[in-house]
Amino acid sequence: MEAVIKLYSLGYKQAKTYLAAALFTLGNMIVPQLCHTVHMGGPTWLPIYLFTLIGAYKYGWRVGLLTAIASPLLNSVLFGMPALSSLPAILLKSVLLAGIAGYTAHRFQKISVFLMLVVVLGYQLLGTLGEWLLKGDFYMASQDFRIGIPGMLIQIFGGYLFVKYLIHK
């Protein structure tokens, strides 16, 4: 399950960068609202990261970084989720995800389920360590590994399918 696809590395001077980031941010706002309609939907499905992963992998770390920062901030301001107390950890994980996904796509110039697994585990492991340092509570920091496995699986397989099949250009 490996595919060579057209990947981009958009720069900050390109209008496409901001258009792509706006669209992925919108996705990161709509999907979490849907997930939050069910009990523990956010912590279980980790919806705020999906379009950051897709944007960074397909269009480069800059699109990913813009999406990673805008999504949690706008969601928090507009909808109160994530809560302000969780915002630093979510921003950390989002930024890590954008960097790791963008680097992986640039380095390997292909997509596979294995590469998506590496990206998701990479940002989650580093993010958990960072969250542990921020909160001082390993139990809380490891919540994504205790509750969010379905969300990580969606990121791995959904991210792979979305990048490979749904975004052709």
Side-chain angles (χ1 to χ4, degrees), residues 41-79:
T44 302
W45 298 106
L46 306 173
I48 202 159
Y49 302 115
L50 180 61
F51 289 101
T52 301
L53 168 64
I54 294 165
Y57 208 94
K58 180 68 177 183
Y59 296 103
W61 67 268
R62 291 172 189 90
V63 168
L65 184 61
L66 290 169
T67 306
I69 293 170
S71 299
L73 292 176
L74 288 172
N75 272 303
S76 185
V77 168
L78 296 174
F79 307 112

PDB file of all heavy atoms in Angstrom, residues 41-79:
ATOM      1  N   GLY A  41     -16.532  12.439  22.178  1.00  0.00           N
ATOM      2  CA  GLY A  41     -16.223  12.434  20.752  1.00  0.00           C
ATOM      3  C   GLY A  41     -14.879  13.053  20.426  1.00  0.00           C
ATOM      4  O   GLY A  41     -14.132  12.536  19.600  1.00  0.00           O
ATOM      5  N   GLY A  42     -14.547  14.165  21.077  1.00  0.00           N
ATOM      6  CA  GLY A  42     -13.268  14.824  20.822  1.00  0.00           C
ATOM      7  C   GLY A  42     -12.080  13.980  21.248  1.00  0.00           C
ATOM      8  O   GLY A  42     -11.193  13.687  20.434  1.00  0.00           O
ATOM      9  N   PRO A  43     -12.027  13.559  22.501  1.00  0.00           N
ATOM     10  CA  PRO A  43     -10.893  12.746  22.946  1.00  0.00           C
ATOM     11  C   PRO A  43     -10.796  11.384  22.264  1.00  0.00           C
ATOM     12  O   PRO A  43      -9.711  10.826  22.143  1.00  0.00           O
ATOM     13  CB  PRO A  43     -11.149  12.567  24.445  1.00  0.00           C
ATOM     14  CG  PRO A  43     -12.042  13.685  24.838  1.00  0.00           C
ATOM     15  CD  PRO A  43     -12.885  13.969  23.626  1.00  0.00           C
ATOM     16  N   THR A  44     -11.921  10.855  21.802  1.00  0.00           N
ATOM     17  CA  THR A  44     -11.905   9.544  21.159  1.00  0.00           C
ATOM     18  C   THR A  44     -11.471   9.634  19.700  1.00  0.00           C
ATOM     19  O   THR A  44     -10.634   8.855  19.241  1.00  0.00           O
ATOM     20  CB  THR A  44     -13.302   8.888  21.229  1.00  0.00           C
ATOM     21  OG1 THR A  44     -13.677   8.774  22.599  1.00  0.00           O
ATOM     22  CG2 THR A  44     -13.300   7.517  20.575  1.00  0.00           C
ATOM     23  N   TRP A  45     -12.018  10.591  18.967  1.00  0.00           N
ATOM     24  CA  TRP A  45     -11.785  10.664  17.522  1.00  0.00           C
ATOM     25  C   TRP A  45     -10.687  11.645  17.131  1.00  0.00           C
ATOM     26  O   TRP A  45     -10.269  11.654  15.972  1.00  0.00           O
ATOM     27  CB  TRP A  45     -13.096  11.002  16.807  1.00  0.00           C
ATOM     28  CG  TRP A  45     -14.110   9.928  17.054  1.00  0.00           C
ATOM     29  CD1 TRP A  45     -15.199   9.996  17.861  1.00  0.00           C
ATOM     30  CD2 TRP A  45     -14.087   8.594  16.537  1.00  0.00           C
ATOM     31  NE1 TRP A  45     -15.860   8.794  17.874  1.00  0.00           N
ATOM     32  CE2 TRP A  45     -15.193   7.911  17.061  1.00  0.00           C
ATOM     33  CE3 TRP A  45     -13.229   7.914  15.674  1.00  0.00           C
ATOM     34  CZ2 TRP A  45     -15.480   6.591  16.763  1.00  0.00           C
ATOM     35  CZ3 TRP A  45     -13.521   6.592  15.367  1.00  0.00           C
ATOM     36  CH2 TRP A  45     -14.627   5.949  15.906  1.00  0.00           C
ATOM     37  N   LEU A  46     -10.209  12.479  18.052  1.00  0.00           N
ATOM     38  CA  LEU A  46      -9.121  13.436  17.804  1.00  0.00           C
ATOM     39  C   LEU A  46      -9.311  14.200  16.487  1.00  0.00           C
ATOM     40  O   LEU A  46      -8.397  14.284  15.664  1.00  0.00           O
ATOM     41  CB  LEU A  46      -7.776  12.702  17.796  1.00  0.00           C
ATOM     42  CG  LEU A  46      -7.461  11.848  19.027  1.00  0.00           C
ATOM     43  CD1 LEU A  46      -6.178  11.053  18.802  1.00  0.00           C
ATOM     44  CD2 LEU A  46      -7.363  12.691  20.273  1.00  0.00           C
ATOM     45  N   PRO A  47     -10.488  14.776  16.274  1.00  0.00           N
ATOM     46  CA  PRO A  47     -10.809  15.337  14.955  1.00  0.00           C
ATOM     47  C   PRO A  47     -10.034  16.590  14.567  1.00  0.00           C
ATOM     48  O   PRO A  47      -9.922  16.893  13.384  1.00  0.00           O
ATOM     49  CB  PRO A  47     -12.299  15.645  15.077  1.00  0.00           C
ATOM     50  CG  PRO A  47     -12.498  15.924  16.529  1.00  0.00           C
ATOM     51  CD  PRO A  47     -11.572  14.967  17.228  1.00  0.00           C
ATOM     52  N   ILE A  48      -9.482  17.295  15.521  1.00  0.00           N
ATOM     53  CA  ILE A  48      -8.837  18.568  15.214  1.00  0.00           C
ATOM     54  C   ILE A  48      -7.498  18.393  14.499  1.00  0.00           C
ATOM     55  O   ILE A  48      -6.932  19.347  13.991  1.00  0.00           O
ATOM     56  CB  ILE A  48      -8.690  19.435  16.481  1.00  0.00           C
ATOM     57  CG1 ILE A  48      -8.545  20.895  16.088  1.00  0.00           C
ATOM     58  CG2 ILE A  48      -7.538  18.960  17.342  1.00  0.00           C
ATOM     59  CD1 ILE A  48      -8.890  21.849  17.196  1.00  0.00           C
ATOM     60  N   TYR A  49      -7.016  17.166  14.428  1.00  0.00           N
ATOM     61  CA  TYR A  49      -5.717  16.920  13.796  1.00  0.00           C
ATOM     62  C   TYR A  49      -5.820  16.412  12.361  1.00  0.00           C
ATOM     63  O   TYR A  49      -4.842  16.475  11.614  1.00  0.00           O
ATOM     64  CB  TYR A  49      -4.920  15.890  14.607  1.00  0.00           C
ATOM     65  CG  TYR A  49      -4.682  16.285  16.038  1.00  0.00           C
ATOM     66  CD1 TYR A  49      -5.242  15.557  17.081  1.00  0.00           C
ATOM     67  CD2 TYR A  49      -3.899  17.379  16.354  1.00  0.00           C
ATOM     68  CE1 TYR A  49      -5.028  15.910  18.401  1.00  0.00           C
ATOM     69  CE2 TYR A  49      -3.676  17.747  17.673  1.00  0.00           C
ATOM     70  CZ  TYR A  49      -4.245  17.005  18.693  1.00  0.00           C
ATOM     71  OH  TYR A  49      -4.025  17.362  19.991  1.00  0.00           O
ATOM     72  N   LEU A  50      -6.964  15.891  11.939  1.00  0.00           N
ATOM     73  CA  LEU A  50      -7.060  15.193  10.657  1.00  0.00           C
ATOM     74  C   LEU A  50      -6.675  16.076   9.473  1.00  0.00           C
ATOM     75  O   LEU A  50      -5.843  15.693   8.647  1.00  0.00           O
ATOM     76  CB  LEU A  50      -8.469  14.633  10.455  1.00  0.00           C
ATOM     77  CG  LEU A  50      -8.686  13.881   9.142  1.00  0.00           C
ATOM     78  CD1 LEU A  50      -7.761  12.670   9.054  1.00  0.00           C
ATOM     79  CD2 LEU A  50     -10.134  13.458   9.005  1.00  0.00           C
ATOM     80  N   PHE A  51      -7.264  17.249   9.371  1.00  0.00           N
ATOM     81  CA  PHE A  51      -6.983  18.086   8.207  1.00  0.00           C
ATOM     82  C   PHE A  51      -5.626  18.782   8.295  1.00  0.00           C
ATOM     83  O   PHE A  51      -5.075  19.178   7.274  1.00  0.00           O
ATOM     84  CB  PHE A  51      -8.133  19.063   7.957  1.00  0.00           C
ATOM     85  CG  PHE A  51      -9.361  18.361   7.445  1.00  0.00           C
ATOM     86  CD1 PHE A  51     -10.417  18.079   8.293  1.00  0.00           C
ATOM     87  CD2 PHE A  51      -9.431  17.949   6.130  1.00  0.00           C
ATOM     88  CE1 PHE A  51     -11.532  17.405   7.829  1.00  0.00           C
ATOM     89  CE2 PHE A  51     -10.547  17.274   5.656  1.00  0.00           C
ATOM     90  CZ  PHE A  51     -11.603  17.001   6.512  1.00  0.00           C
ATOM     91  N   THR A  52      -5.091  18.894   9.491  1.00  0.00           N
ATOM     92  CA  THR A  52      -3.709  19.371   9.616  1.00  0.00           C
ATOM     93  C   THR A  52      -2.773  18.347   8.995  1.00  0.00           C
ATOM     94  O   THR A  52      -1.862  18.696   8.232  1.00  0.00           O
ATOM     95  CB  THR A  52      -3.345  19.602  11.099  1.00  0.00           C
ATOM     96  OG1 THR A  52      -4.241  20.571  11.650  1.00  0.00           O
ATOM     97  CG2 THR A  52      -1.912  20.077  11.248  1.00  0.00           C
ATOM     98  N   LEU A  53      -3.004  17.083   9.296  1.00  0.00           N
ATOM     99  CA  LEU A  53      -2.208  15.995   8.722  1.00  0.00           C
ATOM    100  C   LEU A  53      -2.310  15.995   7.201  1.00  0.00           C
ATOM    101  O   LEU A  53      -1.297  15.964   6.494  1.00  0.00           O
ATOM    102  CB  LEU A  53      -2.686  14.650   9.280  1.00  0.00           C
ATOM    103  CG  LEU A  53      -2.172  13.386   8.609  1.00  0.00           C
ATOM    104  CD1 LEU A  53      -0.674  13.249   8.770  1.00  0.00           C
ATOM    105  CD2 LEU A  53      -2.881  12.166   9.170  1.00  0.00           C
ATOM    106  N   ILE A  54      -3.508  16.044   6.684  1.00  0.00           N
ATOM    107  CA  ILE A  54      -3.727  15.997   5.239  1.00  0.00           C
ATOM    108  C   ILE A  54      -3.099  17.216   4.557  1.00  0.00           C
ATOM    109  O   ILE A  54      -2.398  17.088   3.549  1.00  0.00           O
ATOM    110  CB  ILE A  54      -5.234  15.905   4.931  1.00  0.00           C
ATOM    111  CG1 ILE A  54      -5.783  14.574   5.445  1.00  0.00           C
ATOM    112  CG2 ILE A  54      -5.506  16.080   3.433  1.00  0.00           C
ATOM    113  CD1 ILE A  54      -7.300  14.524   5.529  1.00  0.00           C
ATOM    114  N   GLY A  55      -3.330  18.389   5.104  1.00  0.00           N
ATOM    115  CA  GLY A  55      -2.784  19.612   4.513  1.00  0.00           C
ATOM    116  C   GLY A  55      -1.270  19.638   4.507  1.00  0.00           C
ATOM    117  O   GLY A  55      -0.637  19.993   3.507  1.00  0.00           O
ATOM    118  N   ALA A  56      -0.670  19.257   5.633  1.00  0.00           N
ATOM    119  CA  ALA A  56       0.789  19.269   5.725  1.00  0.00           C
ATOM    120  C   ALA A  56       1.415  18.224   4.817  1.00  0.00           C
ATOM    121  O   ALA A  56       2.452  18.465   4.195  1.00  0.00           O
ATOM    122  CB  ALA A  56       1.234  19.044   7.168  1.00  0.00           C
ATOM    123  N   TYR A  57       0.805  17.075   4.720  1.00  0.00           N
ATOM    124  CA  TYR A  57       1.372  16.002   3.900  1.00  0.00           C
ATOM    125  C   TYR A  57       1.262  16.334   2.411  1.00  0.00           C
ATOM    126  O   TYR A  57       2.206  16.168   1.655  1.00  0.00           O
ATOM    127  CB  TYR A  57       0.689  14.659   4.185  1.00  0.00           C
ATOM    128  CG  TYR A  57       1.608  13.493   3.923  1.00  0.00           C
ATOM    129  CD1 TYR A  57       2.364  12.936   4.947  1.00  0.00           C
ATOM    130  CD2 TYR A  57       1.758  12.966   2.646  1.00  0.00           C
ATOM    131  CE1 TYR A  57       3.239  11.887   4.713  1.00  0.00           C
ATOM    132  CE2 TYR A  57       2.622  11.913   2.399  1.00  0.00           C
ATOM    133  CZ  TYR A  57       3.361  11.383   3.433  1.00  0.00           C
ATOM    134  OH  TYR A  57       4.229  10.342   3.192  1.00  0.00           O
ATOM    135  N   LYS A  58       0.118  16.827   1.994  1.00  0.00           N
ATOM    136  CA  LYS A  58      -0.108  17.085   0.573  1.00  0.00           C
ATOM    137  C   LYS A  58       0.503  18.403   0.106  1.00  0.00           C
ATOM    138  O   LYS A  58       1.062  18.490  -0.975  1.00  0.00           O
ATOM    139  CB  LYS A  58      -1.611  17.067   0.284  1.00  0.00           C
ATOM    140  CG  LYS A  58      -1.977  17.318  -1.166  1.00  0.00           C
ATOM    141  CD  LYS A  58      -1.554  16.186  -2.054  1.00  0.00           C
ATOM    142  CE  LYS A  58      -2.019  16.444  -3.494  1.00  0.00           C
ATOM    143  NZ  LYS A  58      -1.687  15.353  -4.374  1.00  0.00           N
ATOM    144  N   TYR A  59       0.387  19.460   0.928  1.00  0.00           N
ATOM    145  CA  TYR A  59       0.774  20.798   0.487  1.00  0.00           C
ATOM    146  C   TYR A  59       1.968  21.393   1.218  1.00  0.00           C
ATOM    147  O   TYR A  59       2.334  22.523   0.971  1.00  0.00           O
ATOM    148  CB  TYR A  59      -0.428  21.742   0.576  1.00  0.00           C
ATOM    149  CG  TYR A  59      -1.517  21.327  -0.367  1.00  0.00           C
ATOM    150  CD1 TYR A  59      -2.652  20.673   0.096  1.00  0.00           C
ATOM    151  CD2 TYR A  59      -1.401  21.552  -1.733  1.00  0.00           C
ATOM    152  CE1 TYR A  59      -3.649  20.265  -0.774  1.00  0.00           C
ATOM    153  CE2 TYR A  59      -2.390  21.150  -2.609  1.00  0.00           C
ATOM    154  CZ  TYR A  59      -3.508  20.501  -2.124  1.00  0.00           C
ATOM    155  OH  TYR A  59      -4.483  20.093  -2.986  1.00  0.00           O
ATOM    156  N   GLY A  60       2.558  20.652   2.131  1.00  0.00           N
ATOM    157  CA  GLY A  60       3.780  21.110   2.785  1.00  0.00           C
ATOM    158  C   GLY A  60       3.568  21.631   4.191  1.00  0.00           C
ATOM    159  O   GLY A  60       2.443  21.899   4.627  1.00  0.00           O
ATOM    160  N   TRP A  61       4.677  21.769   4.883  1.00  0.00           N
ATOM    161  CA  TRP A  61       4.640  22.135   6.293  1.00  0.00           C
ATOM    162  C   TRP A  61       4.057  23.524   6.532  1.00  0.00           C
ATOM    163  O   TRP A  61       3.481  23.779   7.584  1.00  0.00           O
ATOM    164  CB  TRP A  61       6.022  21.998   6.931  1.00  0.00           C
ATOM    165  CG  TRP A  61       7.044  22.986   6.424  1.00  0.00           C
ATOM    166  CD1 TRP A  61       7.917  22.817   5.391  1.00  0.00           C
ATOM    167  CD2 TRP A  61       7.306  24.284   6.957  1.00  0.00           C
ATOM    168  NE1 TRP A  61       8.691  23.929   5.236  1.00  0.00           N
ATOM    169  CE2 TRP A  61       8.349  24.848   6.190  1.00  0.00           C
ATOM    170  CE3 TRP A  61       6.767  25.020   8.009  1.00  0.00           C
ATOM    171  CZ2 TRP A  61       8.858  26.120   6.428  1.00  0.00           C
ATOM    172  CZ3 TRP A  61       7.275  26.290   8.250  1.00  0.00           C
ATOM    173  CH2 TRP A  61       8.316  26.823   7.466  1.00  0.00           C
ATOM    174  N   ARG A  62       4.179  24.435   5.571  1.00  0.00           N
ATOM    175  CA  ARG A  62       3.646  25.787   5.786  1.00  0.00           C
ATOM    176  C   ARG A  62       2.115  25.771   5.853  1.00  0.00           C
ATOM    177  O   ARG A  62       1.524  26.401   6.733  1.00  0.00           O
ATOM    178  CB  ARG A  62       4.146  26.722   4.689  1.00  0.00           C
ATOM    179  CG  ARG A  62       5.632  27.008   4.786  1.00  0.00           C
ATOM    180  CD  ARG A  62       6.124  27.778   3.554  1.00  0.00           C
ATOM    181  NE  ARG A  62       7.563  27.870   3.530  1.00  0.00           N
ATOM    182  CZ  ARG A  62       8.366  26.963   2.951  1.00  0.00           C
ATOM    183  NH1 ARG A  62       7.863  25.909   2.346  1.00  0.00           N
ATOM    184  NH2 ARG A  62       9.675  27.135   2.971  1.00  0.00           N
ATOM    185  N   VAL A  63       1.492  25.052   4.931  1.00  0.00           N
ATOM    186  CA  VAL A  63       0.033  24.897   4.978  1.00  0.00           C
ATOM    187  C   VAL A  63      -0.345  24.191   6.281  1.00  0.00           C
ATOM    188  O   VAL A  63      -1.285  24.585   6.966  1.00  0.00           O
ATOM    189  CB  VAL A  63      -0.491  24.119   3.752  1.00  0.00           C
ATOM    190  CG1 VAL A  63      -1.950  23.714   3.940  1.00  0.00           C
ATOM    191  CG2 VAL A  63      -0.327  24.946   2.489  1.00  0.00           C
ATOM    192  N   GLY A  64       0.407  23.163   6.616  1.00  0.00           N
ATOM    193  CA  GLY A  64       0.156  22.439   7.859  1.00  0.00           C
ATOM    194  C   GLY A  64       0.292  23.323   9.082  1.00  0.00           C
ATOM    195  O   GLY A  64      -0.538  23.272   9.994  1.00  0.00           O
ATOM    196  N   LEU A  65       1.324  24.152   9.106  1.00  0.00           N
ATOM    197  CA  LEU A  65       1.550  25.026  10.266  1.00  0.00           C
ATOM    198  C   LEU A  65       0.437  26.061  10.410  1.00  0.00           C
ATOM    199  O   LEU A  65      -0.064  26.297  11.520  1.00  0.00           O
ATOM    200  CB  LEU A  65       2.913  25.713  10.154  1.00  0.00           C
ATOM    201  CG  LEU A  65       3.325  26.572  11.342  1.00  0.00           C
ATOM    202  CD1 LEU A  65       3.430  25.730  12.608  1.00  0.00           C
ATOM    203  CD2 LEU A  65       4.646  27.269  11.053  1.00  0.00           C
ATOM    204  N   LEU A  66       0.041  26.667   9.313  1.00  0.00           N
ATOM    205  CA  LEU A  66      -1.064  27.630   9.377  1.00  0.00           C
ATOM    206  C   LEU A  66      -2.340  26.956   9.879  1.00  0.00           C
ATOM    207  O   LEU A  66      -3.047  27.499  10.727  1.00  0.00           O
ATOM    208  CB  LEU A  66      -1.303  28.259   8.002  1.00  0.00           C
ATOM    209  CG  LEU A  66      -0.218  29.211   7.500  1.00  0.00           C
ATOM    210  CD1 LEU A  66      -0.445  29.557   6.029  1.00  0.00           C
ATOM    211  CD2 LEU A  66      -0.171  30.476   8.345  1.00  0.00           C
ATOM    212  N   THR A  67      -2.610  25.766   9.368  1.00  0.00           N
ATOM    213  CA  THR A  67      -3.788  25.011   9.793  1.00  0.00           C
ATOM    214  C   THR A  67      -3.667  24.594  11.256  1.00  0.00           C
ATOM    215  O   THR A  67      -4.642  24.672  12.018  1.00  0.00           O
ATOM    216  CB  THR A  67      -3.973  23.763   8.898  1.00  0.00           C
ATOM    217  OG1 THR A  67      -4.002  24.167   7.530  1.00  0.00           O
ATOM    218  CG2 THR A  67      -5.243  23.013   9.243  1.00  0.00           C
ATOM    219  N   ALA A  68      -2.465  24.162  11.648  1.00  0.00           N
ATOM    220  CA  ALA A  68      -2.222  23.687  13.019  1.00  0.00           C
ATOM    221  C   ALA A  68      -2.438  24.778  14.056  1.00  0.00           C
ATOM    222  O   ALA A  68      -2.887  24.499  15.169  1.00  0.00           O
ATOM    223  CB  ALA A  68      -0.793  23.147  13.127  1.00  0.00           C
ATOM    224  N   ILE A  69      -2.136  25.999  13.697  1.00  0.00           N
ATOM    225  CA  ILE A  69      -2.294  27.103  14.647  1.00  0.00           C
ATOM    226  C   ILE A  69      -3.708  27.667  14.598  1.00  0.00           C
ATOM    227  O   ILE A  69      -4.336  27.901  15.634  1.00  0.00           O
ATOM    228  CB  ILE A  69      -1.240  28.193  14.381  1.00  0.00           C
ATOM    229  CG1 ILE A  69       0.162  27.639  14.699  1.00  0.00           C
ATOM    230  CG2 ILE A  69      -1.531  29.445  15.198  1.00  0.00           C
ATOM    231  CD1 ILE A  69       1.303  28.518  14.260  1.00  0.00           C
ATOM    232  N   ALA A  70      -4.220  27.866  13.397  1.00  0.00           N
ATOM    233  CA  ALA A  70      -5.541  28.496  13.261  1.00  0.00           C
ATOM    234  C   ALA A  70      -6.667  27.609  13.791  1.00  0.00           C
ATOM    235  O   ALA A  70      -7.591  28.108  14.441  1.00  0.00           O
ATOM    236  CB  ALA A  70      -5.799  28.855  11.798  1.00  0.00           C
ATOM    237  N   SER A  71      -6.587  26.312  13.520  1.00  0.00           N
ATOM    238  CA  SER A  71      -7.706  25.419  13.881  1.00  0.00           C
ATOM    239  C   SER A  71      -8.019  25.411  15.377  1.00  0.00           C
ATOM    240  O   SER A  71      -9.167  25.663  15.765  1.00  0.00           O
ATOM    241  CB  SER A  71      -7.431  23.994  13.396  1.00  0.00           C
ATOM    242  OG  SER A  71      -7.301  23.949  12.006  1.00  0.00           O
ATOM    243  N   PRO A  72      -7.045  25.112  16.239  1.00  0.00           N
ATOM    244  CA  PRO A  72      -7.378  25.092  17.671  1.00  0.00           C
ATOM    245  C   PRO A  72      -7.769  26.470  18.208  1.00  0.00           C
ATOM    246  O   PRO A  72      -8.678  26.571  19.030  1.00  0.00           O
ATOM    247  CB  PRO A  72      -6.099  24.598  18.351  1.00  0.00           C
ATOM    248  CG  PRO A  72      -5.256  24.031  17.278  1.00  0.00           C
ATOM    249  CD  PRO A  72      -5.685  24.653  15.997  1.00  0.00           C
ATOM    250  N   LEU A  73      -7.091  27.514  17.720  1.00  0.00           N
ATOM    251  CA  LEU A  73      -7.409  28.852  18.217  1.00  0.00           C
ATOM    252  C   LEU A  73      -8.827  29.260  17.832  1.00  0.00           C
ATOM    253  O   LEU A  73      -9.593  29.741  18.685  1.00  0.00           O
ATOM    254  CB  LEU A  73      -6.398  29.870  17.690  1.00  0.00           C
ATOM    255  CG  LEU A  73      -4.976  29.750  18.228  1.00  0.00           C
ATOM    256  CD1 LEU A  73      -4.049  30.752  17.546  1.00  0.00           C
ATOM    257  CD2 LEU A  73      -4.941  29.933  19.740  1.00  0.00           C
ATOM    258  N   LEU A  74      -9.196  29.076  16.576  1.00  0.00           N
ATOM    259  CA  LEU A  74     -10.544  29.441  16.142  1.00  0.00           C
ATOM    260  C   LEU A  74     -11.609  28.575  16.811  1.00  0.00           C
ATOM    261  O   LEU A  74     -12.656  29.088  17.217  1.00  0.00           O
ATOM    262  CB  LEU A  74     -10.658  29.354  14.617  1.00  0.00           C
ATOM    263  CG  LEU A  74      -9.934  30.449  13.848  1.00  0.00           C
ATOM    264  CD1 LEU A  74      -9.937  30.161  12.355  1.00  0.00           C
ATOM    265  CD2 LEU A  74     -10.548  31.808  14.132  1.00  0.00           C
ATOM    266  N   ASN A  75     -11.354  27.285  16.917  1.00  0.00           N
ATOM    267  CA  ASN A  75     -12.307  26.408  17.606  1.00  0.00           C
ATOM    268  C   ASN A  75     -12.503  26.829  19.052  1.00  0.00           C
ATOM    269  O   ASN A  75     -13.626  26.828  19.563  1.00  0.00           O
ATOM    270  CB  ASN A  75     -11.841  24.947  17.539  1.00  0.00           C
ATOM    271  CG  ASN A  75     -12.318  24.241  16.296  1.00  0.00           C
ATOM    272  OD1 ASN A  75     -13.504  24.180  16.038  1.00  0.00           O
ATOM    273  ND2 ASN A  75     -11.396  23.718  15.519  1.00  0.00           N
ATOM    274  N   SER A  76     -11.424  27.189  19.716  1.00  0.00           N
ATOM    275  CA  SER A  76     -11.517  27.588  21.114  1.00  0.00           C
ATOM    276  C   SER A  76     -12.294  28.896  21.264  1.00  0.00           C
ATOM    277  O   SER A  76     -13.176  29.007  22.117  1.00  0.00           O
ATOM    278  CB  SER A  76     -10.114  27.726  21.711  1.00  0.00           C
ATOM    279  OG  SER A  76     -10.192  28.000  23.083  1.00  0.00           O
ATOM    280  N   VAL A  77     -11.986  29.861  20.414  1.00  0.00           N
ATOM    281  CA  VAL A  77     -12.657  31.165  20.494  1.00  0.00           C
ATOM    282  C   VAL A  77     -14.130  31.056  20.110  1.00  0.00           C
ATOM    283  O   VAL A  77     -14.998  31.612  20.787  1.00  0.00           O
ATOM    284  CB  VAL A  77     -11.928  32.196  19.593  1.00  0.00           C
ATOM    285  CG1 VAL A  77     -12.743  33.452  19.405  1.00  0.00           C
ATOM    286  CG2 VAL A  77     -10.562  32.537  20.166  1.00  0.00           C
ATOM    287  N   LEU A  78     -14.423  30.337  19.033  1.00  0.00           N
ATOM    288  CA  LEU A  78     -15.786  30.287  18.526  1.00  0.00           C
ATOM    289  C   LEU A  78     -16.695  29.282  19.239  1.00  0.00           C
ATOM    290  O   LEU A  78     -17.892  29.519  19.371  1.00  0.00           O
ATOM    291  CB  LEU A  78     -15.773  29.979  17.021  1.00  0.00           C
ATOM    292  CG  LEU A  78     -15.120  31.033  16.133  1.00  0.00           C
ATOM    293  CD1 LEU A  78     -15.043  30.551  14.693  1.00  0.00           C
ATOM    294  CD2 LEU A  78     -15.871  32.358  16.228  1.00  0.00           C
ATOM    295  N   PHE A  79     -16.108  28.159  19.668  1.00  0.00           N
ATOM    296  CA  PHE A  79     -16.935  27.082  20.206  1.00  0.00           C
ATOM    297  C   PHE A  79     -16.573  26.658  21.630  1.00  0.00           C
ATOM    298  O   PHE A  79     -17.225  25.787  22.190  1.00  0.00           O
ATOM    299  CB  PHE A  79     -16.872  25.857  19.285  1.00  0.00           C
ATOM    300  CG  PHE A  79     -17.204  26.165  17.853  1.00  0.00           C
ATOM    301  CD1 PHE A  79     -16.226  26.090  16.877  1.00  0.00           C
ATOM    302  CD2 PHE A  79     -18.486  26.548  17.483  1.00  0.00           C
ATOM    303  CE1 PHE A  79     -16.526  26.373  15.548  1.00  0.00           C
ATOM    304  CE2 PHE A  79     -18.793  26.834  16.164  1.00  0.00           C
ATOM    305  CZ  PHE A  79     -17.807  26.749  15.188  1.00  0.00           C
TER     306      PHE A  79
END
